[in-house]
Amino acid sequence: DTGVSQDPRHKITKRGQNVTFRCDPISEHNRLYWYRQTLGQGPEFLTYFQNEAQLEKSRLLSDRFSAERPKGSFSTLEIQRTEQGDSAMYLCASSPFRGGGQETQYFGPGTRLLVL
Amino acid sequence: AQSVSQHNHHVILSEAASLELGCNYSYGGTVNLFWYVQYPGQHLQLLLKYFSGDPLVKGIKGFEAEFIKSKFSFNLRKPSVQWSDTAEYFCAVNKEYGNKLVFGAGTILRVKS
């Protein structure tokens, strides 16, 4: 079990540029989640996938954000036309599906984004 | 909407002191409850969880938590903290049949040796 991995770990970009982050979940996990965490706050839910289907998106996920999980394995999160308010830690988590909301989510190390 | 409140943002304790971190949530239905810990420089790790049954749950490293349904609370406890418990602790809730965790703002615990 290698855990959830994320790449890159850090990203510095200029306002208006596009960025893409990658998440590789634990291999047997069919659920994958994205969260965003800003300083002094807990993680906030952005979206989740079950296999390749994106089943829920938060209102936090504006039109500039898009997430994919094309083959039900790794996922990408893209932010277009970045803004300074997008600066945050972007966390990925994965879980097996159990039902009843009893999934235990395992988190990756995160990608820290700084928009200048 | 669901929300989770953690009462103290910073807690400083001496080694061997007892710890209790408060967590209250605002959802009236059935919930699944979690405590996660983030040690300095590391990623979020599960400390313990409650789904059903005995409301007193035990986790790793001597931590336990008690679910009190009438108080909408899930407080984390440890009888004697160690310097290595210095970390940030997050309470999280997922409602029954829900698909996302709602986190509190976290409590930063510093244990003085």
Side-chain angles (χ1 to χ4, degrees):
Chain A
D1 175 7
T2 58
V4 178
S5 61
Q6 293 187 244
D7 184 69
R9 296 289 304 276
H10 303 273
K11 179 71 177 178
I12 300 174
T13 191
K14 293 182 180 178
R15 187 164 49 96
Q17 298 294 303
N18 299 344
V19 294
T20 300
F21 309 141
R22 177 180 169 125
C23 171
D24 287 87
I26 294 171
S27 58
E28 64 269 25
H29 288 180
N30 54 4
R31 283 203 166 185
L32 186 149
Y33 311 80
W34 286 98
Y35 290 82
R36 181 171 70 185
Q37 185 177 17
T38 53
L39 203 60
Q41 300 298 319
E44 294 175 288
F45 171 80
L46 293 178
T47 188
Y48 91 95
F49 294 81
Q50 181 153 317
N51 301 313
E52 65 275 12
Q54 187 174 19
L55 297 184
E56 187 172 344
K57 291 194 291 187
S58 161
R59 281 172 289 182
L60 291 175
L61 216 63
S62 76
D63 291 346
R64 298 184 296 105
F65 288 70
S66 62
E68 293 183 341
R69 195 183 182 198
K71 296 183 179 178
S73 57
F74 73 91
S75 175
T76 58
L77 178 69
E78 181 183 17
I79 310 174
Q80 296 183 326
R81 304 180 305 281
T82 52
E83 301 173 357
Q84 288 180 325
D86 297 331
S87 296
M89 176 75 87
Y90 289 85
L91 296 169
C92 177
S94 70
S95 76
F97 174 65
R98 282 193 59 183
Q102 295 185 356
E103 290 74 28
T104 297
Q105 296 182 27
Y106 296 86
F107 283 81
T111 295
R112 185 172 295 282
L113 173 66
L114 177 61
V115 182
L116 301 176
Chain B
Q2 281 176 277
S3 67
V4 177
S5 297
Q6 292 185 238
H7 311 305
N8 305 98
H9 196 56
H10 285 91
V11 172
I12 302 174
L13 294 173
S14 298
E15 275 192 309
S18 64
L19 170 71
E20 181 160 3
L21 301 182
C23 172
N24 286 88
Y25 61 92
S26 67
Y27 181 68
T30 301
V31 290
N32 302 298
L33 298 157
F34 304 81
W35 275 97
Y36 282 85
V37 60
Q38 186 165 25
Y39 297 104
Q42 297 188 27
H43 58 276
L44 278 168
Q45 300 170 40
L46 182 71
L47 204 50
L48 49 77
K49 60 189 177 186
Y50 172 80
F51 294 156
S52 63
D54 187 346
L56 185 63
V57 292
K58 296 192 184 300
I60 61 172
K61 303 186 181 186
F63 285 90
E64 64 180 30
E66 184 176 14
F67 170 50
I68 302 179
K69 188 173 181 179
S70 61
K71 294 185 178 181
F72 301 92
S73 71
F74 189 54
N75 292 354
L76 181 71
R77 299 195 292 247
K78 185 171 184 178
S80 176
V81 294
Q82 301 172 315
W83 178 81
S84 59
D85 294 323
T86 293
E88 188 162 15
Y89 294 80
F90 292 94
C91 179
V93 175
N94 188 5
K95 62 184 182 182
E96 190 181 30
Y97 303 110
N99 299 301
K100 59 179 178 272
L101 293 175
V102 177
F103 283 85
T107 297
I108 297 171
L109 170 66
R110 185 163 82 87
V111 180
K112 299 184 294 183
S113 57

